[in-house]
Amino acid sequence: MTDQVNEKSDLEKSRDIISQLKEMHHYSKNNIEKLGEFWLLLDGGLKQKENAKKLEILLAHQSAFHDALESMISDYEIECNRIENEAS
């Protein structure tokens, strides 16, 4: 008997990518929250204004990444749904 390897379709591979992007999105949100906590501590409690400014820049970059990732996920899901509807 020959073992058949069940290859995933391109659509299934794309859905896997979306799933992984969603996981990254989740961790990205956690990073934003943690950076915000650090910023509050540096700016307020520790009075380290220079470090707080640097962290604010990191926070802005992380937020931009988070937003871009969210947009990518949405666009990719729409494309996968279109491909799936055309195949049915």
Side-chain angles (χ1 to χ4, degrees), residues 22-35:
K22 285 182 176 181
E23 185 175 356
M24 289 175 64
H25 186 258
H26 169 76
Y27 287 115
S28 174
K29 181 179 179 183
N30 289 344
N31 289 344
I32 291 169
E33 291 170 358
K34 186 54 80 175
L35 287 170

Side-chain angles (χ1 to χ4, degrees), residues 8 24 26-27 29 32 34 39 41 46 48 50-51 55-57 66 68-70 76 78-79 81:
K8 288 186 175 184
M24 289 175 64
H26 169 76
Y27 287 115
K29 181 179 179 183
I32 291 169
K34 186 54 80 175
W39 180 85
L41 182 60
L46 297 175
Q48 296 178 9
E50 283 302 312
N51 286 326
L55 197 62
E56 193 171 343
I57 293 168
H66 181 81
L69 190 54
E70 186 171 46
Y76 203 10
I78 289 168
E79 180 65 14
N81 291 338

Side-chain angles (χ1 to χ4, degrees), residues 50-77:
E50 283 302 312
N51 286 326
K53 286 180 186 177
K54 291 176 185 177
L55 197 62
E56 193 171 343
I57 293 168
L58 288 176
L59 185 55
H61 286 296
Q62 184 67 37
S63 293
F65 173 78
H66 181 81
D67 293 345
L69 190 54
E70 186 171 46
S71 177
M72 168 66 189
I73 291 166
S74 177
D75 292 347
Y76 203 10
E77 284 181 320

